[in-house]
Amino acid sequence: SPALGPFLVGISAAIVLFAGGIARPGDFGVSCNPARCLGLMAASHRFTYHWVHWVGDLTACMAHAFIYYAVPPFCNQRIQD
């Protein structure tokens, strides 16, 4: 049901933050905001892993576009060319 959407998004974000905090103590939630990561990297003059935020976002965007095309939401029929 559409009413569960915001709740499920919140729960999934909470699970990701919790898992990230357990996997690497001390960096709890920093990577969920690329702008915050860029600020920290600029302050410390270490841009070694900043590419991860660009590649991750672009990869997720392409995967989402493919899934959106392959399984269109709110449509009972498949897209046929």
Side-chain angles (χ1 to χ4, degrees), residues 16-76:
V16 167
L17 283 171
F18 182 72
I22 289 177
R24 189 162 184 182
D27 293 333
F28 191 70
V30 173
S31 294
C32 289
N33 186 351
R36 183 175 176 193
C37 288
L38 178 61
L40 292 173
M41 289 179 187
S44 64
H45 301 289
R46 292 185 305 174
F47 292 96
T48 308
Y49 294 110
H50 193 256
W51 63 271
V52 172
H53 298 290
W54 294 98
V55 173
D57 289 344
L58 291 173
T59 304
C61 183
M62 288 187 284
H64 181 74
F66 174 75
I67 292 171
Y68 190 82
Y69 179 77
V71 185
F74 308 114
C75 183
N76 293 332

